[in-house]
Amino acid sequence: MSGKSYNIALLPGDGTGPEVLREGVKVLDATASVFKFKLNYTTYDLGGERYLKTGETLPESVIEEVKKCDAIFLGAIGHPDVKPGILEVGILLKMRFTLDQYINLRPVKLYPGVETPLKDKKPEDIDFVVVRENTGGIYTGVGGAVQVGTPNEIATQVMIYSRPVVERCIRYAYDFTRKRNKRKQLTLVHKTNVLTYAGDLWNRVFREVGNTDYPDIKQDYNHVDACNMWFVKSPEFYDVIVTENLFGDIITDLGAMIQGGLGIAAGGNINPEGVSMFEPMGGSAPKYTGQNVINPLAAICAGGMLLDTIGESEAAVAIDKAVSKALESGKIKSLAAGKMGMGTTEVGDFVASLI
Ligand code: IPM
Ligand code: MN
């Protein structure tokens, strides 16, 4: 009941992005009217179509405008006629870097009524959050290639980390674990047995910061390869995970699968001191475009994360509960596109009615 007003930048993007974002907005609006705050939207047509027409990916003018918003809500980026990498680097990564969205937050939560490929695992077994470092590491883009195309070609792509970049991520993860207040356990995921420089930096910062400022949080460590095994065998072991950028990218896709698939996986690109961007993880799914068959639940969940970050936490909890109720009802037959037993817009209406 904040009575506040927020400006949200909408980036519907490509393929099914606009369809899922529409349902996300529908549920945000239902929540705003119950919890008495106001959301003002401005839409920006970034994506494959704009790129093909004008050659622009993320123009400076758009950056300047979204910088002034309270949050950004993204549908999906990815176009079959655009070479892979152009839109990803030109829009998604550029947004992360220029707005310094240094945290990628990925809840891995199995909702009741959702099928997981993990035999005998229940909602209480799959409920953890991955805090992925989101601007550094191999994604920094430092590297090069020589003698390209020759038999002796050499290429490098360097995992770069500075102490401040590691420390701000680790502090965010500890704070998050404390605020989440579940098992108060933070697992560092890295590969310290091989990455003896970068891994050592992460490990020392993890221990120092934890010992000094977070004695109430249990410290735990997994090598990234073992972490993959535990996701499948004992996901109940995790509360919060913190990890570097590429490892986080890889384990969160596995996380999406064990929580029931991309239809329900939401994420946030967060600058805790600035403007954050929220998105369903599913991508633009071009073959389902315009058919009203794509699952909007991930976008709806991303909307919930957006509200939590701008400070409307009660409203965020209401979205989570509504999604939970909708899935528990058994009326949504499957999370897969075309198999939900109802259309994209009907799922949005259903969740909105449960707020
Ligand atoms: C993600 C995506 C991006 C990444 C791609 C599209 C650049 O896979 O958000 O996880 O690698 O971070
Ligand atoms: Mn990814």
Side-chain angles (χ1 to χ4, degrees):
M1 304 284 174
S2 70
K4 286 189 186 157
S5 173
Y6 305 93
N7 296 321
I8 310 295
L10 296 180
L11 312 184
D14 300 314
T16 51
E19 291 169 65
V20 295
L21 195 68
R22 204 174 298 130
E23 302 315 308
V25 168
K26 186 186 280 176
V27 174
L28 282 184
D29 285 340
T31 315
S33 82
V34 172
F35 289 87
K36 309 269 181 275
F37 56 89
K38 197 167 176 315
L39 298 170
N40 313 304
Y41 305 103
T42 312
T43 303
Y44 299 90
D45 67 339
L46 303 180
E49 294 299 335
R50 179 163 178 169
Y51 173 73
L52 290 170
K53 254 186 258 153
T54 68
E56 290 172 311
T57 47
L58 175 54
E60 286 307 314
S61 58
V62 174
I63 293 185
E64 285 313 309
E65 286 193 36
V66 297
K67 260 188 191 165
K68 295 181 213 136
C69 291
D70 294 291
I72 305 166
F73 199 9
L74 170 76
I77 297 287
H79 195 289
D81 300 337
V82 180
K83 205 175 117 206
I86 291 177
L87 302 173
E88 291 87 337
V89 173
I91 300 178
L92 263 182
L93 297 187
K94 188 167 173 192
M95 193 75 89
R96 289 177 186 173
F97 288 130
T98 43
L99 299 188
D100 203 15
Q101 294 163 338
Y102 63 84
I103 298 296
N104 192 312
L105 196 65
R106 275 281 295 107
V108 177
K109 173 169 170 166
L110 179 65
Y111 283 95
V114 173
E115 209 181 309
T116 169
L118 303 185
K119 188 165 165 281
D120 299 334
K121 296 297 179 192
K122 311 246 162 343
E124 56 271 27
D125 299 320
I126 303 177
D127 184 6
F128 60 91
V129 178
V130 179
V131 176
R132 162 187 171 191
E133 201 290 320
N134 206 33
T135 55
I138 284 176
Y139 282 73
T140 310
V142 172
V146 291
Q147 301 184 41
V148 178
T150 73
N152 296 322
E153 176 168 350
I154 295 171
T156 64
Q157 200 108 32
V158 189
M159 181 183 280
I160 300 238
Y161 272 110
S162 66
R163 165 128 197 167
V165 165
V166 173
E167 185 166 339
R168 66 183 182 173
C169 175
I170 283 187
R171 283 194 182 275
Y172 178 91
Y174 273 115
D175 280 333
F176 185 90
T177 311
R178 189 180 267 167
K179 195 171 148 220
R180 178 169 150 96
N181 200 19
K182 289 218 163 146
R183 289 172 44 215
K184 294 198 155 194
Q185 171 189 288
L186 181 62
T187 304
L188 171 67
V189 167
H190 214 290
K191 184 74 184 170
T192 54
N193 52 347
V194 174
L195 303 183
T196 47
Y197 305 120
D200 186 52
L201 173 61
W202 275 83
N203 186 50
R204 270 184 292 112
V205 175
F206 179 68
R207 302 294 166 191
E208 284 170 26
V209 168
N211 293 346
T212 310
D213 291 334
Y214 302 89
D216 52 322
I217 307 298
K218 186 170 169 253
Q219 298 170 20
D220 174 47
Y221 174 80
N222 279 177
H223 291 318
V224 64
D225 47 352
C227 169
N228 273 318
M229 297 197 304
W230 297 125
F231 266 30
V232 174
K233 189 169 189 303
S234 310
E236 64 278 7
F237 181 77
Y238 294 109
D239 179 16
V240 181
I241 290 172
V242 63
T243 191
E244 72 86 40
N245 205 343
L246 182 63
F247 292 157
D249 179 46
I250 296 168
I251 66 171
T252 52
D253 269 19
L254 182 56
M257 286 303 117
I258 68 173
Q259 74 183 122
L262 289 172
I264 191 73
N269 299 275
I270 296 177
N271 177 340
E273 297 88 34
V275 183
S276 304
M277 176 167 77
F278 299 85
E279 56 176 326
M281 302 315 301
S284 61
K287 70 173 176 181
Y288 296 117
T289 306
Q291 298 172 30
N292 198 37
V293 296
I294 195 80
N295 189 338
L297 286 172
I300 291 169
C301 289
M305 295 177 74
L306 183 155
L307 291 184
D308 193 46
T309 304
I310 62 176
E312 295 292 341
S313 322
E314 271 181 61
V317 171
I319 291 185
D320 193 64
K321 285 197 176 140
V323 168
S324 206
K325 257 195 225 163
L327 288 164
E328 216 171 359
S329 75
K331 287 184 187 152
I332 302 170
K333 297 295 170 216
S334 158
L335 297 188
K339 297 188 178 144
M340 297 188 292
M342 52 174 101
T344 306
T345 50
E346 285 72 39
V347 174
D349 290 340
F350 185 31
V351 177
S353 77
L354 294 169
I355 296 290

